[in-house]
């Protein structure tokens, strides 16, 4: 699976959009981009995934560049409850290797 | 909404003692995962079950760790004997399909070995 690079931390103002970048310059054509988040003292939570088209669900939007070497997770109106560690994961789907390979993620702090 | 259940939520044990964690996945989920998360790091897979069979335990320290899922439903992860370095969060997750990456995680068990 392709390696990802994320900033260590970022702050965001409550009510504003939070834009979380992820670099995956070695991504292959059949690899998807997945995002999970982990709120303090809880297990990780699936947010969204995409291959090459932009995706949106009730939680967030995922913007993937045309060359697929990077992506941005957008939380449209951040709330204090969005404070968490956000993980960007790149992997093949489907795959014989089902485990999720988490990196260190981005610690996002939403401030009032 | 269905959730993955884990118990206990917190466990403190002394070095060389045995400890066990329990996980009940979302009903109908055939695949179950145990992850270990050291403070400040992302989770790392220890073992994966498909129904009652182990499909990946390559990262499980088999000299002291064991995992079972006898009836293909709930699962137990055991450590014997516990070492100081085992202090971590132990997370259980389940997914509906074998290739599903949309894994649903439980709240975890925080283990402290003294």
């Amino acid at each position: 699976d392709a390696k990802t690079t994320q900033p260590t931390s970022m702050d965001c103002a409550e009510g504003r959009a939070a834009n979380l970048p992820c670099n995956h310059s070695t991504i292959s054509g059949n690899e998807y981009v997945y995002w999970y988040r982990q709120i303090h003292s809880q297990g990780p939570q699936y947010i969204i995934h995409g291959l090459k088209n932009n995706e949106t669900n009730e939680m967030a939007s995922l913007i993937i560049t045309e060359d697929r070497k990077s992506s941005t997770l957008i939380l449209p109106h951040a709330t204090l409850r969005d404070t968490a560690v956000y993980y960007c994961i790149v992997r093949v789907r489907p795959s014989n290797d089902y485990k999720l390979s988490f990196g260190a993620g981005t610690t996002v702090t939403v401030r009032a | 909404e269905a959730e993955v259940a884990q118990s206990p939520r917190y466990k403190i044990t002394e070095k060389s003692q045995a400890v066990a964690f329990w996980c009940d996945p979302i009903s109908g989920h055939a695949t179950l995962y145990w992850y270990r998360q050291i403070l400040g790091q992302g989770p790392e897979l220890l073992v994966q079950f498909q129904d009652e069979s182990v499909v990946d335990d390559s990262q499980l320290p088999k000299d002291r760790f064991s995992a079972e899922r006898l009836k293909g439903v709930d699962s137990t992860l055991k450590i014997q004997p516990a070492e100081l370095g085992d202090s971590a969060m132990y997370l259980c997750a389940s997914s509906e399909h074998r290739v599903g990456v949309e894994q649903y995680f439980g709240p975890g068990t925080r283990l402290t070995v003294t």
Side-chain angles (χ1 to χ4, degrees):
Chain A
D1 296 332
K3 180 179 178 180
T4 63
T5 303
Q6 299 178 252
T8 302
S9 63
M10 61 184 297
D11 286 357
C12 176
E14 187 179 22
R16 304 294 295 270
N19 298 304
L20 284 62
C22 179
N23 287 322
H24 31 79
S25 59
T26 60
I27 193 170
S28 300
N30 62 346
E31 289 183 313
Y32 287 69
V33 179
Y34 283 79
W35 284 84
Y36 278 72
R37 75 178 183 182
Q38 187 172 23
I39 295 171
H40 183 63
S41 296
Q42 298 183 21
Q45 175 190 25
Y46 166 80
I47 301 174
I48 198 168
H49 74 276
L51 181 61
K52 54 183 178 180
N53 297 322
N54 298 337
E55 303 288 344
T56 295
N57 62 20
E58 65 278 5
M59 291 182 67
S61 295
L62 175 60
I63 308 298
I64 302 174
T65 57
E66 190 169 345
D67 63 8
R68 303 208 323 122
K69 294 183 183 297
S70 66
S71 60
T72 301
L73 179 74
I74 301 174
L75 307 178
H77 304 286
T79 70
L80 299 179
R81 294 172 61 182
D82 292 321
T83 292
V85 178
Y86 288 77
Y87 298 99
C88 171
I89 300 168
V90 173
R91 56 162 298 148
V92 176
R93 179 184 190 234
S95 168
N96 290 326
D97 179 7
Y98 309 117
K99 66 176 182 284
L100 292 172
S101 296
F102 292 85
T106 297
T107 299
V108 174
T109 303
V110 180
R111 302 191 185 279
Chain B
E1 181 175 312
E3 296 179 342
V4 175
Q6 289 188 249
S7 68
R9 291 294 310 278
Y10 304 92
K11 179 70 178 179
I12 300 174
T13 191
E14 293 183 348
K15 184 175 61 173
S16 78
Q17 295 297 305
V19 64
F21 315 127
W22 176 79
C23 171
D24 190 13
I26 292 173
S27 178
H29 281 195
T31 308
L32 184 147
Y33 313 80
W34 283 101
Y35 288 82
R36 177 172 60 184
Q37 184 174 25
I38 296 171
L39 192 64
Q41 300 180 17
E44 294 180 302
L45 182 73
L46 291 175
V47 61
Q48 176 189 336
F49 290 90
Q50 178 70 20
D51 298 310
E52 67 277 5
S53 300
V54 173
V55 296
D56 184 355
D57 63 356
S58 58
Q59 300 303 310
L60 188 71
K62 299 181 187 62
D63 57 335
R64 297 184 300 107
F65 286 64
S66 64
E68 61 182 16
R69 194 184 182 197
L70 295 177
K71 298 183 179 179
V73 181
D74 59 339
S75 175
T76 302
L77 178 69
K78 298 179 181 178
I79 308 175
Q80 182 174 16
E83 296 181 353
L84 296 178
D86 297 331
S87 294
M89 174 76 84
Y90 290 83
L91 293 159
C92 179
S94 68
S95 64
E96 186 174 3
H97 304 294
R98 184 174 188 183
V99 298
V101 186
E102 294 82 352
Q103 297 178 18
Y104 297 86
F105 285 79
T109 297
R110 169 71 66 188
L111 173 67
T112 301
V113 182
T114 62

